[in-house]
Amino acid sequence: MKKIKASIHLYLHYISINIRSMMQYKTSFFLTTAGQFLVSFNVFLGIFFMFRRFHSVEGFSYSEVLLGFSIILLEYSIAEMFVRGFDCFAGIVRFGEFDRIIVRPQNEILQVLGNKFELTRIGRMFQAVIMFVYGIAKSEITWSFSKVITVLFMLIGGISVFSGLFLIYAALCFFTLDGLEFMNVFTDGAREFGKYPVGIYGEKILLFATFIIPYALIQYYPLLYLLDRRTSALYIFLPLLACLFLIPSMLLWKFGVRHYTSSGS
């Protein structure tokens, strides 16, 4: 227990250092935050103009689509904020900085997490919250304790899935010494495909998003429960199953650490 408390304290200290560093350039921080908000706003406009022509997509209304998109955008933004260190991991390996990390007494994952904390992603989170509130107001959802818990589980599961993807990206860098851009298909791409409920893309995509990379567990299925299109209590807990995605991600990371040899820099 003491070790866990010490690790949490150290991670919070890392975050504090990153925030103080960013606040040395306040203008840059606020402009970057505003830029993150505007990028997400462009996606919102795309959905808006699409629904100016079509009243629904596969039975989902404008507000329902916004609700699903806002949740996945919020999940992605929180994960990117706290797990940004893995997204920048290619440089750590390429320049030999991981050599120093593995000889330190603290856990490697904790040190990589603390290497980068992207507070500017709060701009994207703010956009997601606005869309979420609008989606709730217009979808006329009858809220209950179970639905509140469902949203909470969606956030937990979504953060876990995107964190796992960033961890896989970092683990592959042990073997390539560089970032693999195709991984953006599963991170940034998921944010883009998440503009609409995953089920509208067809049965094969839904199967992939259920059993391979569980996007559907953190968006589509629980969204059906929120909208009263499914009533089974199983849909409440499906997002928590998505947390299991962290297991293979962690195993790949451990495999990479065991087989790591210095980049030679």
Side-chain angles (χ1 to χ4, degrees):
M1 184 62 70
K2 289 183 178 179
K3 188 175 181 180
I4 294 175
K5 289 182 178 179
S7 297
I8 294 174
H9 178 75
L10 179 60
Y11 181 58
L12 293 176
H13 182 61
Y14 280 142
I15 292 176
S16 175
I17 292 173
N18 275 276
I19 292 176
R20 290 200 301 270
S21 175
M22 285 184 283
M23 289 299 102
Q24 295 300 312
Y25 305 93
K26 293 183 177 63
T27 302
S28 175
F29 168 76
F30 288 115
L31 288 176
T32 304
T33 301
Q36 290 292 327
F37 177 87
L38 292 174
V39 167
S40 298
F41 189 72
N42 286 336
V43 178
F44 163 77
L45 287 178
I47 299 174
F48 174 78
F49 286 118
M50 200 279 290
F51 273 94
R52 294 281 290 180
R53 182 171 179 83
F54 304 100
H55 297 295
S56 66
V57 175
E58 291 292 328
F60 290 93
S61 67
Y62 174 57
S63 57
E64 292 169 347
V65 166
L66 278 187
L67 185 60
F69 175 52
S70 64
I71 289 174
I72 208 151
L73 180 62
L74 187 58
E75 295 165 349
Y76 176 83
S77 301
I78 295 174
E80 193 178 30
M81 177 184 292
F82 288 96
V83 197
R84 180 68 171 170
F86 289 119
D87 196 29
C88 304
F89 189 69
I92 294 177
V93 172
R94 186 166 59 250
F95 297 113
E97 296 178 20
F98 193 71
D99 294 11
R100 296 199 301 268
I101 289 177
I102 58 178
V103 298
R104 293 170 181 165
Q106 288 295 336
N107 181 271
E108 298 92 354
I109 290 180
L110 179 65
Q111 295 183 67
V112 175
L113 284 174
N115 183 64
K116 187 74 172 178
F117 176 76
E118 199 64 73
L119 187 61
T120 58
R121 295 306 187 263
I122 199 170
R124 190 179 291 165
M125 290 173 58
F126 184 56
Q127 175 70 27
V129 170
I130 292 175
M131 287 191 293
F132 182 72
V133 172
Y134 178 86
I136 288 176
K138 296 298 183 179
S139 298
E140 300 180 351
I141 295 175
T142 303
W143 286 98
S144 62
F145 178 74
S146 63
K147 290 185 178 180
V148 173
I149 291 296
T150 300
V151 173
L152 178 61
F153 287 169
M154 290 170 78
L155 291 176
I156 293 173
I159 294 168
S160 299
V161 169
F162 284 113
S163 297
L165 289 170
F166 284 124
L167 188 58
I168 290 173
Y169 171 83
L172 293 176
C173 293
F174 287 122
F175 309 102
T176 63
L177 299 183
D178 207 347
L180 296 176
E181 292 301 321
F182 83 88
M183 284 298 298
N184 291 331
V185 173
F186 303 109
T187 52
D188 295 337
R191 184 190 66 203
E192 294 300 314
F193 285 118
K195 290 188 295 185
Y196 303 100
V198 176
I200 75 167
Y201 297 112
E203 183 178 349
K204 291 182 180 179
I205 296 297
L206 183 59
L207 287 173
F208 176 85
T210 300
F211 299 105
I212 306 301
I213 302 179
Y215 302 123
L217 299 185
I218 60 176
Q219 188 229 38
Y220 180 64
Y221 296 122
L223 180 63
L224 295 178
Y225 181 80
L226 293 179
L227 299 175
D228 293 320
R229 300 190 182 189
R230 297 290 187 276
T231 57
S232 173
L234 174 65
Y235 286 78
I236 301 174
F237 301 99
L238 285 179
L240 292 183
L241 287 179
C243 296
L244 297 176
F245 184 71
L246 282 172
I247 296 176
S249 304
M250 188 69 70
L251 291 175
L252 181 60
W253 168 267
K254 293 293 185 182
F255 180 79
V257 171
R258 286 198 304 270
H259 292 80
Y260 171 72
T261 55
S262 178
S263 63
S265 300

